[in-house]
Amino acid sequence: MARTRPWSWRNLSLRSKLGLGLGSASILSIVIGAGTAMILILSGLADASRREAMRSAKTALNLVLRQAQSQQSEAGELASDGVLADLLVTSPAAIENYLTSQQERFGSGLIEVADTRGRIVARRLGLDPARARQVAAGDHSPAVERALEYERRLTLTQASGQLAVRASAPVLDETWKLRGAVVFTLPLDAEFADVIKGALSVDVIFYAGDVATASTFSTPDGRRLPGRPVPPAVAESVHRGLTLTDQGPVEGREYTFAYVPLQDLEGRRIGMLAIATSRDTLLAAQRQAKWFLLLAAAVAAVLAAAFAIALARRIAGPVRRLHEGALAVARGHLEHRIPVETGDEIGELAQAFGVMTRALKENQDRLAARIREMVTLHEIGRAVSSVLALDDVLAKVTSQVAGILQARTCALLLEGPGGGLGLRAAYGPISSAQALTALAIRAGRHSLRVEAIESDGDLGTQAREAGITGAFLAVPLELKDRSLGALAVTRPDPFSDGDERLVATIADQAATAFENARLYGEVTAFSEDLERKVHERTRELVEANSALERALRELRETQAQLVHSERMAGLGVLVAGVAHEINSPAAAIKGSVDALGDGVARLMARARELGQLSLPSDARVRFFRLLEALGPRFAQPRIEPPALVRRQARELALRLEGLGVASPDVPARTLVELGVAEAAYELATLGGGSGLSPLVGYLEEYAYLQRNLASMKTAIHAITRIVGALKSYSHLDQEKVSVCDLHEGIENTLVILHHELKYAISVQRRFGTLPKVPVFVDELNQVWTNIIHNAVQALGGRGEITVETAQEGSEVVVRISDNGPGISPEAQARIFEPFFTTKAKGEGSGLGLVIVKRIVDKHGGHIHVESVPGRTSFIVRLPIEGPKLTAARAVVQSGNPS
C-alpha cells in the first residue's frame, strides 16, 4: 500500500505551483490595483473637500478683515468730524442725538465717545442692548487710553467671552488739539456668522480661545447651537499659528471643518474661525466607489485564476524534462543531451542548455591550461619585481624559467655596448649555457622552437659538437621595437604552444625589468646630483633672502617714521584749532553756570514773595500752567528797539491801571521786554490789584533761567559737534576697509579745519549723488585734510574753496578747488615727489602730497592737479568697488618709494 505524502507547498508539482502562483499573483495584482484606485479616488475626494473647506475659510477670514477695515475707516471718519470735536467741548450731552442723526452713515455696531479723561460720555447702539453690553469698551478701557495717546488702532479682542472687532481713534479739533476718543465695536456673533454664511453658503463658527461662542448651526426646531467643540490637539496647533482641517458630526451630519487662527494687534491668538462644509455627497460617492471596485475585482479574479490554470498545464511538461537535463549536467555528465520539444522560449532554453554543455566542456579544458600558465607567470612576476639590481633580476628570471619548465639548461643574453649579444645569466652547466648562446645568436631576432636540436639542418651540427640534445626554444627580448637580447631554454621533452607563449611573456617581463633596473640606476645618479645642486642653490637663496628682508625692514621703518612725522605735525595743527573752537562755547557755559547760581537765588527770593500772597489753590495751578506754556518762548532771545519797548510798556501800563493794578509801570515794562505782554491780563486777574508785581517778578527770574539753560545747550551742542567730527575723523583701525559716505568724511574734515576757514574763506559745496564706497576711512580723511589745508595756505587766509563730487562710470570723483595764485608748470611736474615743496623753509616738509598720492594709489585710484592763475584743482578718482591692490602692488604702480 503506497504512503500518501502530507500536503505542503514543497511537495506540490510544478504545474500546481505555477497555477497557484500565477493565479495568486493575478488576483493579488488586481486586488492591489483596485484597492489603490479606490484609495486614490477616495483620498482625492477627501482632499478636494479639505481644499474647498480651506478656500472657504480663507475667504471668510478676508470678509472679517474687510469688515474690520471698513469699521476702522468709519471710526476714523467720525473722529475727524469737526462737529463731534466741538460737541465734546461745548455740549457732551448732545453727542448721542448727533450720533443718532448719523445712523445711516456708520452702519451697525456700537459707537462709544469718551472725553479727554477717558470717561464714556455718549453711546450709539447699532445693535440690541444685550449685545451692546457684552462688547462695550467702557470708561478708561485700553482702547480709549491708546486713542487718547494719539493712536489709531484696529484689533480683535475678547469682551465678556465674546469675540469682537474694535477700532479706536483720537478726536482732534482744527488745531490738532485732543478733544476725546471714538471707539467702534462690532461683535463677531451669530448674526455676523449668518452674514458670512449668506456670502459663502457654508456654516461658520467663532471661537473665543477654545470655546465656541457663535455659529450658524441650529437644531431642527430652530434653536441656535453655539458650535462644535474643537479637539484639543487641533486647538493647540491652531493657537501656534497653523491652519488645519478636521472632520466630525454636528446634529447627525458629517462635516469637514477648516480652522483659521484669529489674533489681536499684538500678535496674541485670542480665538479661531471655523468653516464647515457638508460631507454627504462625499460619503455617497465613497460608498458607490467601494461597491463598484469590489465587483470589478471579483470578476477579474475569476478570469485570472482560469487563465493561470491553463498556462500552468502548457508549461509544466517541457520544464520538467529541462529540469532533469540540468540535474544531469550538474552531476558532471557533460555528454548528456537535452531534447528540444517546442519552438517557444522553453525550446530555445533547452537548445541553449545543449550549447552551454558543449561550451562548458571546452572551457574546462582551456581553463586547466590557463591556470597552469597564470601560476607560472605569477611566480615569474613576483620573482622579477622583488629586486631592482640588474644581476639579481637576471638570475631570478633564469632560475624561475628553468624550474617551471623543468629545463636542463637556460641562458639569458643581453646586448653589450658594442652591439653584440653576450651571456649575462645562466642555469645549468656553464659550457652548455655558452653553447646555447651561440645557438640563440644564430636564431636571430625571431622566436625559434625545435623539437630535436641535434637533428636540425641549420643548428644540428653545432648542437652535436656542444653536446646539446633534446627540445630547443629561443625567444627575443624586445622593448618598444628595440631588441635587448634573447632567452634560450633546452629540455628533453618538446615545447608546446602554451610553453612558447609563457616563455615569450616571461621574456617581455624580463625586458621590462631590465629597463626598470637601468632607469633606476640613472635616476639614482641624477637624484644625487640634483640634491647637491638644490642644496647649493637653497643656501644662496637663504642668504639673498636675509639681505632682502633687512633692506625691506629698514625701508619700511624709514617710511613709517616719515609718515608718522608728517601726520603728527598735521595733528598738532588740528588739535590747536579744535582747542580754539571749543574754548568759546566752554567760556559761554562757564558764564551761564555762574549766572545760573545767581538766578536760582533770585528765583527763591521771588518764590518767598509769591508764597506770601494769599492766592487760591486754583489760581496757583493756573499760574504755573501759564509758566509751563510760556517756557519755550523764554528760551528764544528777543531783542526789540528800545523806543518800541517803551511805547508798548506805556500802553500796557495804562491798560493795567484801568484794571485796578497799583504801580503797573515796572511789571508792564518787564512783560514787554520778555515778549509776553499778552499774558498781562491773566496775571492781573490771578494777582488782583496788589499781587501783580510778585507774579511778574517770579516770571522774570524764570525766564532768565530758561535763557541761561538755552545758552548752555547751544554751547554744548557746538562742543558735541566738534568732538563728534573729531571722533569720526580719527579712526584707529587704519587697515580695516569700511563702507562709508565720502560726503560725511569731507564734512568732518571741514568741521575740524573750521578755525582756519571761518574768518575770510568761504566754502562752496556742490555735492552730487554718490554711493557708499569701501575705503580706509582714516587714511582717506588724511587726503581731504592735506588738500584742503594746502588750499587754505595757498589762499593766504582769504578766498574761496569749492568741493565738488560726482559719479562717473565705475568711479567717484572728488574735485577740491581754490581761487589762489595757482601752481607753476615746473612745480606741477614735481608736486608729488618726496621732499619737494613750494613753501618757505620751515613751513612744509614736502611729504603731504606724497602721502596723499600713496593713499589714493592704495585705494586703486589716482590723483592729478590742474592749475592756472586764479584756479587750482586737485581731482581724486576712487573705484566704487573699493581697493583691490595690496599695499605693495600699489606702491609699485605709483612709482613712489614712500
Side-chain angles (χ1 to χ4, degrees):
M1 181 176 179
R3 296 179 58 187
T4 303
R5 293 185 297 175
W7 186 92
S8 68
W9 176 261
R10 296 181 60 185
N11 296 332
L12 291 177
S13 63
L14 178 61
R15 184 175 62 185
S16 300
K17 289 181 179 179
L18 282 173
L20 291 174
L22 292 174
S24 300
S26 301
I27 295 172
L28 182 61
S29 62
I30 293 171
V31 171
I32 292 175
T36 303
M38 183 172 64
I39 292 173
L40 292 176
I41 293 172
L42 296 181
S43 63
L45 294 175
D47 289 341
S49 177
R50 286 192 292 270
R51 288 194 298 270
E52 178 64 20
M54 291 296 294
R55 185 189 65 80
S56 299
K58 294 179 180 179
T59 305
L61 181 60
N62 289 333
L63 291 177
V64 174
L65 296 177
R66 187 181 303 170
Q67 178 61 33
Q69 292 175 352
S70 175
Q71 187 173 336
Q72 184 184 23
S73 176
E74 293 174 359
E77 291 180 4
L78 183 58
S80 303
D81 194 338
V83 177
L84 180 60
D86 294 338
L87 290 177
L88 278 169
V89 177
T90 59
S91 179
I95 295 177
E96 290 190 2
N97 294 332
Y98 175 70
L99 294 178
T100 303
S101 67
Q102 301 293 318
Q103 180 76 22
E104 296 181 356
R105 178 182 175 188
F106 299 107
S108 63
L110 172 63
I111 298 178
E112 299 173 275
V113 181
D115 58 14
T116 56
R117 289 175 290 182
R119 295 183 304 176
I120 301 300
V121 298
R123 285 188 175 91
R124 197 278 296 182
L125 304 180
L127 38 83
D128 61 81
R131 295 171 63 197
R133 285 192 299 272
Q134 288 181 346
V135 298
D139 296 337
H140 307 291
S141 64
V144 173
E145 296 297 333
R146 299 295 284 271
L148 293 177
E149 293 177 359
Y150 293 90
E151 180 179 350
R152 287 194 175 187
R153 186 176 178 85
L154 174 64
T155 185
L156 287 175
T157 184
Q158 282 194 29
S160 300
Q162 178 76 32
L163 289 178
V165 178
R166 179 165 289 159
S168 59
V171 179
L172 306 175
D173 61 9
E174 294 179 352
T175 61
W176 298 92
K177 186 172 182 180
L178 183 67
R179 295 302 185 186
V182 170
V183 180
F184 194 175
T185 307
L186 178 65
L188 301 181
D189 53 6
E191 294 183 8
F192 189 78
D194 289 338
V195 174
I196 298 178
K197 180 177 181 180
L200 301 179
S201 298
V202 293
D203 287 295
V204 181
I205 307 175
F206 286 109
Y207 293 88
D210 300 339
V211 180
T213 58
S215 75
T216 57
F217 288 106
S218 60
T219 61
D221 57 0
R223 182 171 50 87
R224 179 81 69 170
L225 293 176
R228 172 178 177 263
V230 62
V234 174
E236 182 180 356
S237 300
V238 174
H239 287 317
R240 289 201 306 268
L242 302 178
T243 301
L244 301 177
T245 59
D246 187 22
Q247 297 176 359
V250 176
E251 288 294 312
R253 296 182 61 186
E254 289 290 332
Y255 291 90
T256 298
F257 295 90
Y259 299 91
V260 179
L262 299 177
Q263 63 185 25
D264 61 9
L265 193 59
E266 284 74 22
R268 296 187 297 267
R269 294 181 177 87
I270 62 173
M272 295 177 285
L273 168 63
I275 295 300
T277 58
S278 177
R279 301 181 69 242
D280 293 342
T281 304
L282 174 63
L283 295 177
Q286 289 179 345
R287 288 191 295 270
Q288 293 177 0
K290 287 180 181 178
W291 285 111
F292 176 77
L293 292 175
L294 288 176
L295 180 60
V299 173
V302 172
L303 295 177
F307 175 75
I309 294 172
L311 183 62
R313 291 179 178 177
R314 173 69 178 79
I315 297 176
V319 170
R320 184 178 66 254
R321 285 181 288 277
L322 183 63
H323 175 255
E324 293 173 354
L327 289 177
V329 173
R331 295 189 188 100
H333 304 301
L334 300 181
E335 294 80 8
H336 181 80
R337 294 292 180 266
I338 300 175
V340 179
E341 301 179 7
T342 62
D344 56 8
E345 287 81 358
I346 297 177
E348 294 177 357
L349 181 61
Q351 186 178 3
F353 259 103
V355 175
M356 181 187 69
T357 303
R358 292 190 297 273
L360 184 61
K361 183 173 177 59
E362 296 175 358
N363 289 335
Q364 188 176 21
D365 297 337
R366 288 196 298 269
L367 182 61
R370 185 60 179 168
I371 289 175
R372 290 193 300 271
E373 294 179 3
M374 291 179 62
V375 171
T376 302
L377 192 60
H378 172 71
E379 293 295 333
I380 292 295
R382 187 174 62 178
V384 169
S385 62
S386 60
V387 292
L388 287 176
L390 180 59
D391 293 336
D392 294 338
V393 168
L394 300 180
K396 285 280 186 181
V397 169
T398 55
S399 62
Q400 289 294 329
V401 169
I404 292 172
L405 297 180
Q406 298 178 353
R408 179 186 300 163
T409 307
C410 180
L412 197 152
L413 291 72
L414 291 180
E415 192 174 288
L421 295 178
L423 180 64
R424 291 295 302 269
Y427 176 83
I430 188 66
S431 58
S432 299
Q434 291 176 347
L436 284 181
T437 302
L439 295 176
I441 292 173
R442 290 192 60 185
R445 298 182 59 180
H446 302 285
S447 296
L448 176 64
R449 187 176 70 183
V450 180
E451 293 184 359
I453 187 66
E454 68 275 10
S455 303
D456 185 77
D458 295 332
L459 303 177
T461 303
Q462 190 173 358
R464 288 191 297 272
E465 292 176 354
I468 298 176
T469 60
F472 172 78
L473 177 63
V475 177
L477 274 67
E478 295 181 341
L479 183 66
K480 296 181 180 179
D481 298 331
R482 183 167 62 91
S483 178
L484 300 179
L487 179 62
V489 187
T490 62
R491 72 177 185 183
D493 301 327
F495 293 102
S496 64
D497 294 339
D499 294 334
E500 184 176 356
R501 289 195 301 269
L502 178 61
V503 174
T505 302
I506 295 173
D508 291 340
Q509 289 192 354
T512 303
F514 169 73
E515 186 68 14
N516 290 341
R518 184 185 63 80
L519 293 176
Y520 175 74
E522 294 179 358
V523 169
T524 301
F526 179 74
S527 298
E528 293 175 353
D529 182 62
L530 180 62
E531 184 177 359
R532 178 182 55 79
K533 292 181 179 180
V534 168
H535 180 72
E536 294 177 357
R537 184 59 178 167
T538 301
R539 179 176 53 79
E540 295 175 357
L541 290 176
V542 168
E543 293 176 356
N545 190 34
S546 299
L548 183 60
E549 286 182 354
R550 287 194 301 271
L552 184 59
R553 185 168 57 253
E554 292 174 359
L555 180 61
R556 288 176 177 173
E557 291 175 356
T558 303
Q559 177 183 351
Q561 291 175 359
L562 291 174
V563 174
H564 181 69
S565 299
E566 176 67 17
R567 298 188 67 180
M568 289 302 293
L571 183 60
V573 176
L574 292 180
V575 169
V578 169
H580 176 73
E581 288 293 312
I582 293 177
N583 185 52
S584 298
I589 293 174
K590 182 178 183 304
S592 298
V593 169
D594 294 339
L596 191 62
D598 297 336
V600 171
R602 290 193 301 271
L603 184 64
M604 293 299 296
R606 294 295 189 180
R608 284 194 297 271
E609 294 178 2
L610 187 62
Q612 294 174 1
L613 291 176
S614 57
L615 293 178
S617 59
D618 60 339
R620 291 180 183 275
V621 172
R622 290 170 56 194
F623 174 68
F624 284 108
R625 285 184 177 175
L626 180 62
L627 287 181
E628 184 179 357
L630 296 177
R633 296 175 60 181
F634 293 148
Q636 302 174 1
R638 181 182 178 87
I639 301 175
E640 297 287 353
L644 180 61
V645 171
R646 288 193 298 271
R647 185 177 73 254
Q648 292 178 351
R650 285 196 301 269
E651 295 174 355
L652 182 59
L654 292 175
R655 290 198 298 271
L656 292 175
E657 186 175 0
L659 295 175
V661 177
S663 302
D665 296 335
V666 175
R669 185 175 181 84
T670 301
L671 292 174
V672 171
E673 290 177 347
L674 295 177
V676 291
E678 69 275 9
Y681 177 77
E682 188 171 357
L683 291 173
T685 304
L686 294 174
S690 60
L692 179 61
S693 294
L695 294 177
V696 173
Y698 189 89
L699 180 66
E700 180 182 13
E701 299 304 331
Y702 178 75
Y704 289 154
L705 285 178
Q706 290 289 340
R707 290 180 179 178
N708 281 333
L709 289 175
S711 177
M712 293 172 65
K713 289 180 181 178
T714 301
I716 292 172
H717 175 72
I719 294 176
T720 303
R721 176 171 170 267
I722 295 172
V723 173
L726 188 60
K727 287 175 63 179
S728 176
Y729 175 84
S730 58
H731 287 76
L732 297 178
D733 190 359
Q734 299 182 10
E735 294 302 323
K736 181 179 180 181
V737 176
S738 300
V739 178
C740 72
D741 185 358
L742 297 185
H743 293 158
E744 181 180 353
I746 296 173
E747 289 292 350
N748 290 334
T749 302
L750 293 174
V751 171
I752 298 301
L753 297 175
H754 181 65
H755 63 284
E756 298 183 358
L757 303 172
K758 66 181 181 179
Y759 295 109
I761 296 178
S762 63
V763 178
Q764 301 295 328
R765 298 170 176 82
R766 298 173 184 170
F767 290 165
T769 301
L770 299 183
K772 292 189 176 181
V773 181
V775 296
F776 297 94
V777 179
D778 181 48
E779 297 189 9
L780 198 60
N781 287 339
Q782 181 77 22
V783 171
W784 313 138
T785 302
N786 286 2
I787 295 176
I788 295 175
H789 183 71
N790 287 347
V792 171
Q793 291 182 334
L795 292 174
R798 181 180 301 277
E800 181 181 278
I801 296 176
T802 303
V803 182
E804 301 173 273
T805 63
Q807 177 181 351
E808 296 181 2
S810 61
E811 294 180 332
V812 292
V813 181
V814 179
R815 180 188 295 265
I816 301 176
S817 308
D818 65 77
N819 58 353
I823 305 173
S824 65
E826 295 79 9
Q828 291 183 40
R830 301 182 57 193
I831 197 168
F832 294 111
E833 293 182 5
F835 305 108
F836 175 79
T837 179
T838 59
K839 301 174 185 177
K841 185 176 182 180
E843 292 185 5
S845 62
L847 293 176
L849 291 178
V850 176
I851 294 174
V852 167
K853 191 175 191 313
R854 182 183 64 82
I855 294 172
V856 174
D857 290 339
K858 182 177 180 179
H859 283 78
H862 54 278
I863 180 175
H864 68 280
V865 61
E866 298 175 355
S867 181
V868 295
R871 179 74 173 181
T872 300
S873 300
F874 281 86
I875 299 94
V876 177
R877 295 180 178 271
L878 300 174
I880 294 178
E881 67 272 13
K884 292 183 178 180
L885 300 176
T886 62
R889 289 177 61 191
V891 169
V892 171
Q893 289 192 3
S894 66
N896 293 323
S898 59

